Amino acid sequence: MASVRQVQVTFDCAEPERVARFWCEVLGYVVPPPPPGFEPWDAFNVSLPAEVQGSAFACVDPNGVGPRLFFQRVPEGKVVKNRVHLDVRVGTGMVGAERLAALKAEQARLEKLGATVFQIQEADGFNESCITMLDVEGNEFCLD
């Protein structure tokens, strides 16, 4: 039997630290400690060659349950819809108006962090409500 592997979710972006800190706030994640001998992260960053300073950042689940999120700078901007996205599970176990109210409350909190609404899908008798949002660099994610 194959062993279970951990996964890391990687985001291509223009400003890795900015996007990472946004996702820390969304998910309750934290920035891991810098490498030994460097405090704070800025000290590590300035020790790198100029061309790679600020090129990557990460955040982790403080409980060690969720995947590590890694953000890497790429030269090109986002062009098309994401093929993979995160579903932020805020309405689990809720239905109808209660679920939609929970989603909209989280939507309002995330808008204050710089997220924007892309689409609101209200319950249709088959699917429950879901809100598609864009993070601070336009990457899609869903409030589910």
Side-chain angles (χ1 to χ4, degrees):
M1 179 177 211
S3 61
V4 174
R5 306 276 187 232
Q6 290 185 339
V7 298
Q8 168 175 284
V9 179
T10 300
F11 290 70
D12 289 349
C13 55
E15 298 179 63
E17 184 173 352
R18 177 178 178 238
V19 181
R21 291 193 183 280
F22 169 82
W23 282 103
C24 281
E25 292 295 323
V26 172
L27 300 174
Y29 271 39
V30 296
V31 174
F38 296 97
E39 187 65 42
W41 269 105
D42 290 341
F44 173 74
N45 191 46
V46 298
S47 75
L48 300 172
E51 65 273 9
V52 295
Q53 290 180 6
S55 66
F57 212 79
C59 59
V60 296
D61 177 349
N63 300 315
V65 177
R68 179 179 190 252
L69 303 182
F70 184 75
F71 303 84
Q72 62 187 6
R73 184 173 58 217
V74 296
E76 69 278 356
K78 184 177 179 302
V79 178
V80 297
K81 183 181 184 294
N82 301 0
R83 296 278 308 217
V84 176
H85 66 267
L86 300 182
D87 284 348
V88 181
R89 308 294 312 272
V90 296
T92 303
M94 297 179 212
V95 297
E98 177 190 27
R99 178 183 173 90
L100 187 57
L103 297 178
K104 288 193 175 218
E106 184 66 356
Q107 168 197 329
R109 183 181 82 85
L110 299 182
E111 286 176 318
K112 291 176 185 170
L113 299 174
T116 56
V117 174
F118 179 74
Q119 181 180 26
I120 298 175
Q121 298 162 264
E122 293 196 24
D124 60 11
F126 181 71
N127 293 304
E128 276 298 330
S129 297
C130 175
I131 300 176
T132 304
M133 299 192 74
L134 305 175
D135 74 9
V136 294
E137 286 200 2
N139 300 300
E140 297 93 359
F141 67 98
C142 292
L143 298 181
D144 178 30

